[in-house]
Amino acid sequence: MSNFRMHLLVCGGTGCTASDSLELVKMLKESIKKHEITNEVEVVVTGCFGFCEKGPILKVYPDNVFYITVKPEDAEEIITEHVIKGRKVERLLYVEPNTKKRLEGQKSIPFYKKQIRIALRNCGFINPEDINEYIAADGYQALAKCLTEMSPDEVIDTVVQSGLRGRGGGGYPTGLKWKYTRQNQSDEKYIICNADEGDPGAFMDRSILEGDPHSVLEAMAIAGYAIGAQYGYIYIRAEYPLAISRLEIAIKQARKLGLLGEDIFSTGFNFNIGLRYGAGAFVCGEETALIHSVEGKRGEPSSKPPFPAQRGVWDKPSCVNNVETFANIPPIFLKGPAWFKKIGTEKSPGTKVFALAGKVNNVGLVEVPMGITLREVIFDIGGGIKNNKRFKAVQTGGPSGGCITSENLDIPIDYESLSSIGSMMGSGGMIVMDEDNCMVDIAKFYIEFTKDESCGKCTPCRIGNTRMLEILEKITKGNGTEQDLKDLVELGDVIKDTSLCGLGQTSPNPVLSTLHYFQDEYLAHVRDKHCPAGVCQALFSFRILPEKCVGCTACARICPAHCIEGERKKVHVIDQSRCIKCGACYNTCKFNAIEKG
Amino acid sequence: MAKLKTVEELKKIRQAALNQLDLRSTAESEDKVLVRVGMATCGIANGARTTMKAILDEIAKQGLANVSVTQTGCIGYCAQEPVVEVVSKGMPSVLYGKVDENRGREIVIEHIKNGRLLQNAIINKSFENME
């Protein structure tokens, strides 16, 4: 038994490992060895803390001190100062931006204050590669309870009562999905975990699998017991190597302890889990396409009905749930559905994990109760917009969602409210945009993405999205007409109404919502041939303001096209015919003498 | 490790593994007893490390839960080193001076376990009346 007096938790998520957190672990261990305190201090590699903006994260227990942006070379100082002498390394503490005070505890940091962690409860708290730590954190207790004390129907009732809804985006009640799959009689049934996280910028599923893989395994076994399945597949993209390796370790450990396998807890219930790798196609997140891909076929969707609950993988009844949905299951059984129902809103109980990205100060993973406002997420937790710029819009739901403007920032977030303002919950990507983002360009980016990711099976999606992209390219090049805007709306509506699967049914959303909220910006592009944000290269120019130019020659020297002329201490001029609009002069000028517009 | 046959066996693993996580969960708990050992140069020179180890050992021996032992820097009372502060909910924070190994163990048993203060070792009842 270990008697460590101190635990140093280092984030081993993908974000922090990319900034050398594993090297930090190595240095810490070396320093601990050097100072002969190996039996006093333990270094634990955990899953993601969520505060990726400030990674690598190191948390010291029992002192509850939260260090940010820790570099490998800081290891020695942390050991000699904090671990041996008990003096905190002040310079590595988080600085509250308003008061400039250094904050020690994780919970005192504004980023964490409004968060409630259910799905991410063990991320950054336990070692994901040690099943004992998961068990110590009440792991597999929910499975034990279900198998030994509850009937499958009671298990389903509990999930129905909790009101849990699919966290992959659709928001379909999880309990009902389980119920329908149970009702379909068959000799074989399957549980499928959808870990094909394809939404650009979203990484909550990856973080859960990296930080707490056992919670997903446990929930899948519970689901298997509930619907009458003995086998589960986790469909995960091959580009998540760390998540895959942690899952493999977790499955092996669970099998060894008999928590997966045959006759679990001597109840006669058998459950095994296998991994299936995806090649990273966005459409494979759609459940019918995913099922075909699991079977080794082309990842193309098919029409519903039949629903997977009727005919899924290998034509047997199957239940497809998302990673985050599964991660919510064990706590619902341990704390009761009433506890879960109390969190969040009436129609959308519980929490949702959002991946905050874009022009926001605190990029990272946040888990908040449903019903919180976007303003709280972006400004209180996210710390507001970078470089004091003005907030313009936030895109939720990824390429299937829409943008939300400042007038709707105070709407409480849940599945219905986001749909009512033309966006959607989606898997929880949240991309914040500021005044420098051109909305036409953003719409073009998303359509380009869905056009590439369209599987090509149905015509409206394959050809429709290509035509939409062509129109948007025309507009951003300055050749658009007002008729094009009307065509976009019409085409968008047709694609939505006639596409086979969710990909095509939602792909025009970013265009339609930007057209709705930012019509002026589109009109500026087609009428005035002007891009107000200065993004679409054909539609703006740089100009030197004669009254501000001091003739320092900095711009002329940095210009890669050598198209800025002027003598020293005299006003400079840009030759527009040769300007490539790279913006180098604009960024270099110290006198704000260059105007973009 | 053998395969688990019963829920009881799972609970046993949990109990054994709890110690591993106890340090972390106790730190997050709000009503924990906090023991701070002064570990600046003067404290260490006077044997604070031995004291701290004795305190940790005694806590484990007595099987006490919800106690967090942390270090702190110099509190300026060098003549009384090693200095140990005990903070528990509903009680004023108590500062003990000249805490050697034995006194450390006594603090754990008397103060933390039995709720009795070691009157002869108290420097000041709290920081508030230190002025």
Side-chain angles (χ1 to χ4, degrees), chain B residues 22-88:
Chain B
D22 200 38
L23 184 89
R24 284 172 239 166
S25 27
T26 300
E28 301 283 359
S29 130
E30 277 170 15
D31 58 352
K32 65 184 170 234
V33 178
L34 188 63
V35 180
R36 284 202 196 99
V37 185
M39 292 279 268
T41 310
C42 45
I44 294 173
N46 279 306
R49 289 191 68 79
T50 330
T51 302
M52 183 180 61
K53 280 184 188 164
I55 290 175
L56 285 164
D57 182 59
E58 197 59 38
I59 290 170
K61 244 192 223 166
Q62 301 291 334
L64 299 179
N66 214 19
V67 184
S68 235
V69 181
T70 72
Q71 301 159 287
T72 184
C74 178
I75 61 162
Y77 225 127
C78 307
Q80 293 285 329
E81 293 284 3
V83 170
V84 170
E85 186 193 5
V86 182
V87 189
S88 43

Side-chain angles (χ1 to χ4, degrees), chain A residues 302-365:
Chain A
S302 48
S303 56
K304 294 191 273 191
F307 290 95
Q310 301 161 309
R311 274 213 331 257
V313 71
W314 317 120
D315 284 338
K316 305 286 182 188
S318 307
C319 178
V320 186
N321 288 130
N322 158 271
V323 172
E324 191 188 330
T325 314
F326 277 129
N328 276 291
I329 295 287
I332 288 176
F333 284 94
L334 293 174
K335 297 186 179 173
W339 159 81
F340 190 78
K341 205 127 205 231
K342 260 192 264 165
I343 303 163
T345 65
E346 202 193 328
K347 283 185 171 171
S348 309
T351 57
K352 178 77 192 87
V353 184
F354 289 102
L356 258 184
K359 307 280 181 67
V360 65
N361 276 317
N362 299 334
V363 168
L365 216 51

